[in-house]
Amino acid sequence: MRPVVVCTHLDQIRPVVPRTPQGCEDCLALGMPWVHLRLCLTCGHVGCCDASPGRHARRHAHAAGHPIVQSFEAGEDWRWCFIDETYV
Ligand SMILES: [Zn+2]
Ligand SMILES: [Zn+2]
């Protein structure tokens, strides 16, 4: 069994406003398609999921050092930490 991982980044969550509510900020700039969207809870960056070609949510998390995203899909409110690789 994997050990239980506890996310230590909850203090990086801010009251954010989605910067590009219409889609992935990076895909929009590059003209790329995406599958699902994730919202950075530190700065409001909207990025695409790991099933998308760009994986911009993950790239943003590591490039900007913003660990936690929330699903930006309708009806979903789960959160994921890219540093601890766990739901939070
Ligand atoms: Zn993207
Ligand atoms: Zn961010």
Side-chain angles (χ1 to χ4, degrees):
M1 285 202 16
R2 292 177 59 190
V4 175
V5 177
V6 177
C7 175
T8 56
H9 303 93
L10 295 175
D11 60 343
Q12 306 215 25
I13 294 176
R14 306 274 181 266
V16 297
V17 176
R19 287 176 0 195
T20 54
Q22 70 274 32
C24 170
E25 181 173 328
D26 304 278
C27 286
L28 287 169
L30 296 166
M32 291 171 62
W34 63 82
V35 180
H36 291 127
L37 297 174
R38 309 289 178 241
L39 172 66
C40 173
L41 291 182
T42 301
C43 73
H45 172 270
V46 177
C48 51
C49 69
D50 283 355
S52 306
R55 297 185 174 186
H56 291 120
R58 176 178 294 276
R59 284 186 199 222
H60 170 79
H62 289 290
H66 296 164
I68 298 176
V69 293
Q70 180 167 322
S71 176
F72 199 54
E73 296 298 312
E76 294 184 4
D77 63 355
W78 50 264
R79 296 169 173 184
W80 175 261
C81 177
F82 278 117
I83 307 296
D84 292 314
E85 298 284 336
T86 186
Y87 291 99
V88 298

